[in-house]
Amino acid sequence: MERYEEAKQRLRGSIAPIVTPFFEDFTLDLESLENLISWHIESGSHGISVTGTTGEPSSLTLDERIRVMERALKAVDGRVPFVPGTGSTNHEETLYLTKKAEEMGADAALVIVPYYNKPSQHALYKHFKAVADSVSIPIIVYNIPGRTGTNLEVKTLARLAEDCPNIIGVKESNKDFEHVNRVLLNCGRNFNLYSGIELLCYPMLAIGGAGSISATANIVPDKVAELHDAWFNGNHKKALELHYELMPLNDVLFRDTNPAPVKAALGMLGKIKPVLRLPMDLPAKEIQAEVRQVLSQYTEVPVE
C-alpha cells in the first residue's frame, strides 16, 4: 500500500500524452518520438505517456505499441514518471500490454475503458479487476465515453478503487463535471483524478485533482506544466490566467478528431512530419489554416 501512496504523490501535474510520429510511408518515426519526449521534459512536463488516444494506438500493431513504449521509456531515462497506455478493446491484449509495461519498468499503466463493444458495468468491473490483479504496477483507469461509447459509472470505479489497491486514479475525459466531482466523493479525496478534457484541467485541480493528461501539452508543454506548477505552488490567480490564455488553443486543437489538429500543428512547428494513418487523416485545409492562425498567437510558426 505504501508503494501506491508514493506513486500517487509522484504521478501529479502535467502528464503529456505524446503523439506517435510517422514517416511519410506511414512507418514509425521513433527518432522524432525521442526528440519530442526530450523537448517535453526540458519544457517542464511532469510525466510522459504514449499510446493513449493521442498516440493513435488503434492504428498500431501490438508489436508497434511495444516498440513505441520501449523507445519512449529509453528516452525518458528515469527523468520523469512514464505512464504508457496499455488498454485495448480486447481483454487479452490489454493483459498482455499491461504486463509488458510492468516488465519494462513503467511507473504506471493507463488502461482505457474498452471501446466499440459497450460492456456492462458488471463486465467492466471484471475486466479492470483482472487487469489490476495481473500486475503490481499502479493502474490509472481511463474513462472517455465520447470515444468508447460507454461511461464507467462512479459506483463501478469506487468498487474497483476499494478492491484493487493498485488502481490509484482515473483519467476522466468526461464533460459531466458533476460526475468527476462524485469520483472524488466516492473514491476518496486521495484518489488521483486527472483531467482529459482541456477546458476542465483547471476546474479539476480546484476540486482536488492530481493533474491532467492533456493533448494541448503536445504543443505548449511549458504553459500546461506552468499552469499546474502555479496551482500546486498556491498561485491560483496565475493558474486561472493560464487556463483562460490556453482556451483558444484548446478549442482549435479539437476542431477535428484528436490527434489530427495536434499533428498538423506539430508539423507546422517542424517537430514531426504531419502524418496520420488511415482511417485518420489531417484536418481539412480551412481547419489547418485556423490552427496556424491560432498557433501563431502562442509561438513562432515557420513560414510554409
Side-chain angles (χ1 to χ4, degrees):
M1 289 293 291
E2 184 177 339
R3 172 188 178 184
Y4 301 127
E5 291 304 314
E6 181 183 343
K8 288 178 182 179
Q9 294 305 311
R10 290 188 65 232
L11 294 165
R12 298 176 70 82
S14 174
I15 301 175
I18 311 297
V19 300
T20 301
F22 300 121
F23 289 112
E24 289 172 345
D25 65 356
F26 305 107
T27 57
L28 294 174
D29 181 359
L30 297 178
E31 183 176 351
S32 289
L33 176 68
E34 284 198 20
N35 291 338
L36 284 174
I37 289 170
S38 292
W39 173 54
H40 269 269
I41 295 172
E42 291 162 7
S43 299
S45 291
H46 304 106
I48 296 294
S49 182
V50 295
T51 58
T53 303
T54 308
E56 295 173 81
S58 59
S59 296
L60 304 174
T61 66
L62 278 179
D63 178 66
E64 286 176 327
R65 288 184 68 166
I66 292 168
R67 288 172 60 201
V68 169
M69 289 161 58
E70 289 175 338
R71 192 68 169 264
L73 181 64
K74 176 185 174 185
V76 170
D77 194 26
R79 292 178 286 174
V80 295
F82 175 58
V83 186
T86 60
S88 166
T89 193
N90 181 286
H91 180 70
E92 291 301 322
E93 287 182 2
T94 302
L95 290 172
Y96 176 73
L97 289 167
T98 307
K99 288 176 182 176
K100 284 291 185 182
E102 179 177 48
E103 290 167 4
M104 69 177 64
D107 294 276
L110 179 68
V111 184
I112 195 169
V113 169
Y115 37 92
Y116 179 72
N117 43 26
K118 301 179 75 171
S120 67
Q121 296 299 307
H122 173 68
L124 285 172
Y125 173 85
K126 292 177 69 174
H127 169 74
F128 280 108
K129 187 168 191 308
V131 174
D133 288 349
S134 73
V135 293
S136 62
I137 59 171
I139 299 293
I140 299 170
V141 174
Y142 180 11
N143 188 31
I144 180 169
R147 299 282 287 245
T148 64
T150 301
N151 183 44
L152 181 67
E153 294 178 4
V154 171
K155 63 182 180 180
T156 308
L157 183 60
R159 187 179 168 206
L160 286 165
E162 175 70 23
D163 295 346
C164 307
N166 61 329
I167 294 183
I168 66 163
V170 62
K171 175 184 177 182
E172 281 286 354
S173 294
N174 193 326
K175 294 184 179 181
D176 182 349
F177 199 56
E178 289 188 14
H179 170 99
V180 297
N181 276 267
R182 295 185 189 284
V183 165
L184 291 182
L185 177 66
N186 289 273
C187 296
R189 298 275 292 279
N190 69 337
F191 193 66
N192 278 24
L193 171 67
Y194 304 92
S195 177
I197 298 290
E198 278 59 26
L199 267 62
L200 294 184
C201 290
Y202 176 88
M204 284 201 202
L205 289 173
I207 64 169
S212 69
I213 305 175
S214 163
T216 302
N218 277 276
I219 309 303
V220 284
D222 52 347
K223 287 190 178 295
V224 177
E226 187 182 6
L227 186 156
H228 291 79
D229 288 336
W231 176 266
F232 290 126
N233 290 330
N235 193 343
H236 299 165
K237 181 180 179 181
K238 182 177 180 181
L240 185 59
E241 288 172 354
L242 284 162
H243 166 71
Y244 283 107
E245 179 184 336
L246 287 167
M247 199 173 291
L249 182 60
N250 290 332
D251 286 344
V252 81
L253 291 178
F254 286 84
R255 287 275 284 112
D256 195 352
T257 304
N258 182 45
V262 169
K263 279 197 158 181
L266 285 170
M268 293 170 194
L269 295 175
K271 297 290 186 183
I272 64 168
K273 295 185 183 303
V275 177
L276 295 90
R277 285 180 173 173
L278 292 171
M280 300 291 287
D281 197 8
L282 288 172
K285 294 292 185 183
E286 56 270 23
I287 295 179
Q288 291 193 50
E290 187 179 347
V291 169
R292 177 177 288 275
Q293 188 274 325
V294 174
L295 187 60
S296 66
Q297 300 172 25
Y298 294 84
T299 188
E300 187 175 341
V301 182
V303 178
E304 290 182 279

